[in-house]
Amino acid sequence: MQWESVIGLELHVQLATQSKIFSGAANRFGATANTLACAVDLGLPGVLPVANEEVIRMAVKFGLAIDASIAKRSVFARKNYFYPDLPKGYQISQYELPVVSAGKIRIQLDGITREIGITRAHLEEDAGKSIHEGFAGFTAIDLNRAGAPLIEIVSEPDLRSAAEAVALMKKIHSLVRYLDISDGNMQEGSFRCDANVSIRPEGETRLGTRTETKNINSFRFVEQAINFEISRQVELVESGNEVVQETRLFDPEKNETRSMRGKEEANDYRYFPDPDLPPVVIDNDYIEAVRKQLPELPEQKQQRFIETYGLSEYDSGYLVANKDSADYFEAAVAAAPGQAKPVANWIMGELGAALNRENIAINHSKVNAAMLAGLVTRIADGTISNKIAKQVFEALWDGAGGVDDVIEKQGLKQLTDSGAIGRLVDEVIAENSAQVQQYRSAAPEKRGKMIGYFVGRVMKKSQGKANPKQVNQLLSERLENRGGG
């Protein structure tokens, strides 16, 4: 039997506000444990929460960006459950009346564009953090994160593969960064994913029993967890067993999910409107004011890159997927006018490889945009060849100085003297008489590939400094000349 996977995501995005969602405590990462939790976050008797207006604005901003419905009246509710890092015994969230609902996001995979429904995006407070490492036999609680503002983005079960799930996750990650509502830092827990997975026979319309894998914090782990869960469920059903609705955790070291607890239903949480928080009322003027604050979004930027810089859909898509990459590209092109395609090639090629090798974000690159622009300019004006440029790039990465300094100090300037290049060409022709004869005996349409042999010999003699265009031209002239060599 052929099986179809049905996947929906719940993304927990920590919002980049100065203070928490219902208190004035600082909202930041990395402080000493339990130093950023005030009386409201601790749930002490008699305290009252007050909604942070900036959190509302950010939620509306996200809703407008995904063409969603913005509720004119939304309500905060209490979600009741007990967990050690939840001091009040309930979480303030939204249930029946979220601030954002019925949106859509387009993803592209293997050249196919699909529209994925966004069921809702609701606001809630984060819980604290349980710490198990370093406390043998005990669990420690850090409440710094308690009350941090979250927007939970829930997709429709429209995804059919782990790759599609990752594509949606990356699209939303890019979007919240462009909107400047979250730093999206997965290592710090600012962007976390719960993956709901079920299977059903191909052609079936009813949904199967789903599992929820909680708190996955990398694109790679999301793909691995979903693929494992699909395989596990198929194996269960095909062996005559049933999938149990439950919450699971992903173990990246073993590349497997494991059971955590039975999956709760909404009625298990006994939702009811929070009596301490009035409804949030949003009027049209407020929505329009937020709309005017929207930046250029990724799809708009991609179209502009295609039209303004003549980039391909692939190149522009690569660059705009990360806001910092797009900003780096535009800064480099501004310093190297007319060199958009070469700049894009270097960002996607040598620079990207160097950043991946050392796990550095592009906004912390050792070769900044101005330096890359200088490098591309020196290739364009013939000062250095593409091959030598890679050597210059490595020197720039290692902090050897500016582009012109490296070229000068290391003697890397391209050889463009036609007389000097001609002498090297003559030497190569004289030293390779058998290959010269083969070239001259070959059909004209085959000579284009064969000339590469001679080009390589000339470039080796010049230590890579000879201008390749001049080398090709002189070789063509002299190899065609029966009197030469």
Side-chain angles (χ1 to χ4, degrees), residues 388-401:
I388 292 296
K390 293 180 180 180
Q391 187 176 335
V392 175
F393 178 86
E394 291 301 325
L396 296 175
W397 188 267
D398 292 336

Side-chain angles (χ1 to χ4, degrees), residues 119-141:
T119 311
R120 56 196 280 131
H122 62 264
L123 292 167
E124 63 184 20
E125 61 180 344
D126 208 346
K129 184 178 182 181
S130 298
I131 303 170
H132 309 286
E133 298 81 11
F135 299 91
F138 296 91
T139 295
I141 302 296

Side-chain angles (χ1 to χ4, degrees), residues 201-337:
E202 279 194 358
E204 177 63 73
T205 56
R206 291 177 301 175
L207 296 175
T209 302
R210 68 184 172 91
T211 62
E212 180 184 36
T213 304
K214 297 282 285 185
N215 290 329
I216 318 172
N217 67 346
S218 86
F219 300 125
R220 181 164 59 91
F221 292 166
V222 165
E223 186 164 20
Q224 290 173 347
I226 291 174
N227 280 331
F228 176 86
E229 192 59 20
I230 292 169
S231 297
R232 186 188 73 85
Q233 292 186 21
V234 168
E235 186 176 337
L236 267 176
V237 175
E238 289 187 342
S239 62
N241 296 302
E242 293 184 352
V243 176
V244 176
Q245 182 168 317
E246 62 182 347
T247 298
R248 300 179 68 85
L249 292 176
F250 177 65
D251 185 337
E253 292 186 3
K254 295 182 179 179
N255 190 24
E256 65 181 22
T257 65
R258 63 173 184 268
S259 182
M260 178 183 176
R261 61 175 182 264
K263 181 74 180 95
E264 301 90 346
E265 299 287 357
N267 57 2
D268 294 324
Y269 293 119
R270 306 189 318 280
Y271 281 99
F272 65 87
D274 192 303
D276 294 332
L277 287 162
V280 176
V281 178
I282 302 172
D283 60 24
N284 287 329
D285 290 343
Y286 186 87
I287 293 173
E288 291 310 310
V290 174
R291 194 188 304 276
K292 290 177 181 176
Q293 298 172 0
L294 289 177
E296 182 181 45
L297 298 177
E299 289 181 7
Q300 298 166 336
K301 191 181 288 289
Q302 181 177 8
Q303 190 59 38
R304 180 169 63 81
F305 279 14
I306 292 171
E307 294 172 359
T308 303
Y309 300 115
L311 297 181
S312 68
E313 186 172 348
Y314 175 84
D315 290 356
S316 57
Y318 178 98
L319 294 170
V320 306
N322 181 315
K323 183 177 183 296
D324 292 329
S325 294
D327 292 343
Y328 184 105
F329 167 78
E330 294 220 81
V333 171

Side-chain angles (χ1 to χ4, degrees), residues 10-24:
E10 299 172 17
L11 298 173
H12 300 262
V13 181
Q14 185 169 317
L15 298 174
T17 55
Q18 293 297 309
S19 57
K20 294 183 179 180
I21 186 169
F22 300 119
S23 81

